[in-house]
Amino acid sequence: MAKKIVIIGAGVSGLTSAMLLSRDKDYSITVVAKHMPGDLDAMYASPIAGANYLPMSDRENSQYEARTLPELQRLASHVPEAGIHHQRARLYRREADMPTLRQGSNGFNGMFLENPWYQEVVNNFVELEVTPEMTAAGIAGGCEFDSVCINTPVYLSWLVGKCRANGVVFKRGSVKSLADARRWWSSSEKAFAEAKEKGEEGPADIVLNMTGLGALKLGGVMDQAMVPMRGQVVVVRNVAPVMFGTSGTDDDDEELTYGMTRAVGGGTVLGGTYQRGNWDSQPDAATALRIMQRSIDTVPELLNGTGKKDITGLEIIRHAVGFRPYREGGVRIEKEKMPDGSWVVHNYGHSGWGYQGSYGCAEKVVALVKEVSRDKAKL
Ligand SMILES: Cc1cc2nc3c(=O)[nH]c(=O)nc-3n(C[C@H](O)[C@H](O)[C@H](O)COP(=O)(O)OP(=O)(O)OC[C@H]3O[C@@H](n4cnc5c(N)ncnc54)[C@H](O)[C@@H]3O)c2cc1C
């Protein structure tokens, strides 16, 4: 009989795991989540992200990001409905940030390193030649490479569609605890309603915890290592010729400058902030002004065709805030046996790299689910 699985969470982690697992007819999967694609809420990081592929790990922890790139490239080349396109990325390392970058202690770890590990996996990587203009602007160096940019609302909906085609059931709900999660399984919405009526819903064999920052409050997890890493962005109609990122700013240690034009008319996301432990879910007007100013300073082509030379040339679609699900000590992907003998597989705490590591992490989840399924079969 197929193993009954409940996945808590419909962000990129839960949906990628659901899609990969649902290819195997040995599993019958229900996804339950407070937030679903279509919602905008700071606690739901996935739709707020740009998102692009700018690796953040160091070489030692690069397996998830290294493994994910080929799949994102394949989708960009061959699956237009996934909402991903190829884009060139340009990163600048500022002279002022070099000491912290060399210690690897600026929170983005590998992204701005000289000679990064990822030059071995991306295409057409080049170190930038430092021009007198760059030196005058305080830029010590940088690089360019072929990357991808994901229109996240389109991509999340595409993932839901792939899951539905494979028979995954979706339910909206707040799960109180890992134990509570097991009762959310059902073979269909209708079967769930009928079983609930009779008090017979669930239970699942295996629970997958993909709750992002929600792991801080979820009963049975309550992971105190989880911290919001607040990201504020401005989404505009203007187009950037490249994706860009700068290692720091003169404005604030917890701000950075980046931008990317999403595929399929998704607008251009300008960032941003990286504010640790900041729970403010509302956009701050002064921060937004700084983000826009730095963006046009870095890529003046954003104003092409507007006839303007300042931020009034940026046509704003919306302001947004999302909490990156940061975890002290790194991502948690592991299995855990519950006191009643049932299994939980965790996959949360991806901070700012949830998309660019999504396939690597979901493949590990699949391997762990296979392991615990075997164990369960023995019991
Ligand atoms: C501004 C910004 C820019 C970013 N840019 C990038 C980028 O360029 N590239 C990149 O790879 N990543 C980027 N990220 C990071 C990326 O968005 C996250 O790492 C990723 O979305 C995390 O996905 P997740 O599925 O683990 O969590 P989330 O997307 O937060 O989803 C969590 C899910 O769990 C559900 N949930 C939580 N608790 C419960 C509960 N008790 N009961 C039921 N459901 C629950 C939620 O409702 C939600 O469905 C960015 C993030 C932000 C905010």
Side-chain angles (χ1 to χ4, degrees):
M1 209 174 113
K3 290 273 174 292
K4 300 174 195 167
I5 294 180
V6 164
I7 300 181
I8 323 169
V12 68
S13 306
L15 294 177
T16 313
S17 301
M19 182 179 70
L20 296 194
L21 281 166
S22 66
R23 290 174 182 165
D24 188 334
K25 293 296 159 222
D26 283 349
Y27 306 122
S28 171
I29 302 166
T30 296
V31 173
V32 55
K34 272 188 207 172
H35 305 97
M36 292 279 183
D39 298 346
L40 280 181
D41 188 305
M43 285 296 287
Y44 184 28
S46 293
I48 311 289
N52 61 11
Y53 186 88
L54 301 179
M56 292 186 179
S57 56
D58 52 22
R59 183 180 288 278
E60 210 183 316
N61 298 296
S62 61
Q63 75 271 28
Y64 301 123
E65 291 181 322
R67 169 61 198 109
T68 299
L69 181 63
E71 187 55 19
L72 296 180
Q73 287 170 329
R74 186 187 74 79
L75 293 172
S77 296
H78 303 296
V79 186
E81 63 272 28
I84 304 179
H85 66 173
H86 296 280
Q87 247 190 354
R88 194 113 176 112
R90 184 187 299 157
L91 297 178
Y92 293 113
R93 298 185 292 268
R94 298 186 329 144
E95 189 66 57
D97 302 324
M98 292 313 291
T100 13
L101 289 174
R102 288 191 175 125
Q103 285 164 21
S105 59
N106 74 344
F108 324 116
N109 297 327
M111 193 196 302
F112 291 101
L113 287 182
E114 295 154 298
N115 286 318
W117 63 266
Y118 59 79
Q119 64 186 304
E120 294 155 24
V121 296
V122 298
N123 293 329
N124 300 315
F125 180 95
V126 288
E127 270 294 316
L128 293 179
E129 216 166 286
V130 182
T131 61
E133 292 76 28
M134 284 162 70
T135 308
I139 304 295
C143 62
E144 265 194 24
F145 54 93
D146 295 343
S147 181
V148 292
C149 181
I150 305 166
N151 180 330
T152 53
V154 171
Y155 181 61
L156 292 170
S157 297
W158 178 80
L159 286 173
V160 170
K162 297 304 278 184
C163 290
R164 287 294 297 130
N166 291 343
V168 175
V169 174
F170 283 83
K171 299 220 192 86
R172 174 81 73 157
S174 290
V175 174
K176 291 187 194 66
S177 65
L178 292 175
D180 170 47
R182 294 185 66 206
R183 75 178 177 84
W184 284 89
W185 182 85
S186 74
S187 55
S188 69
E189 291 284 350
K190 188 163 167 276
F192 183 68
E194 286 167 5
K196 206 170 176 188
E197 189 95 330
K198 293 189 222 151
E200 289 173 355
E201 67 271 32
D205 299 309
I206 306 166
V207 168
L208 272 50
N209 169 25
M210 319 255 160
T211 50
L213 198 52
L216 185 60
K217 294 275 170 65
L218 182 66
V221 186
M222 301 271 192
D223 189 338
Q224 299 306 305
M226 290 303 295
V227 182
M229 199 62 91
R230 181 179 181 275
Q232 180 171 333
V233 295
V234 185
V235 187
V236 298
R237 293 193 178 83
N238 309 60
V239 173
V242 288
M243 299 192 285
F244 56 95
T246 301
S247 59
T249 75
D250 288 335
D251 294 330
D252 191 301
D253 284 349
E254 291 194 316
E255 293 187 13
L256 69 166
T257 302
Y258 67 85
M260 68 197 82
T261 297
R262 284 170 164 173
V264 213
T268 297
V269 180
L270 304 176
T273 64
Y274 227 88
Q275 296 164 309
R276 192 193 189 100
N278 185 329
W279 286 100
D280 186 355
S281 63
Q282 297 310 304
D284 171 68
T287 307
L289 290 175
R290 290 197 295 275
I291 288 172
M292 291 190 283
Q293 186 60 53
R294 290 195 304 259
S295 296
I296 61 166
D297 289 346
T298 310
V299 179
E301 294 93 328
L302 278 163
L303 297 176
N304 281 358
T306 67
K308 302 272 178 61
K309 290 197 166 12
D310 57 25
I311 61 167
T312 60
L314 293 175
E315 211 182 307
I316 298 169
I317 300 170
R318 69 174 169 276
H319 298 270
V321 170
F323 300 137
R324 298 175 184 90
Y326 177 79
R327 185 169 184 268
E328 304 277 359
V331 69
R332 182 180 185 199
I333 310 180
E334 63 181 11
K335 59 183 181 174
E336 184 184 8
K337 199 164 200 167
M338 297 286 101
D340 66 357
S342 65
W343 283 101
V344 171
V345 173
H346 301 277
N347 177 25
Y348 66 86
H350 306 81
S351 190
W353 56 274
Y355 283 88
Q356 59 205 34
S358 54
Y359 283 90
C361 294
E363 283 171 0
K364 175 133 186 225
V365 166
V366 172
L368 289 170
V369 169
K370 276 204 176 118
E371 257 178 69
V372 304
S373 299
R374 279 198 294 273
D375 178 80
K376 183 89 185 169
K378 269 192 245 151
L379 288 174

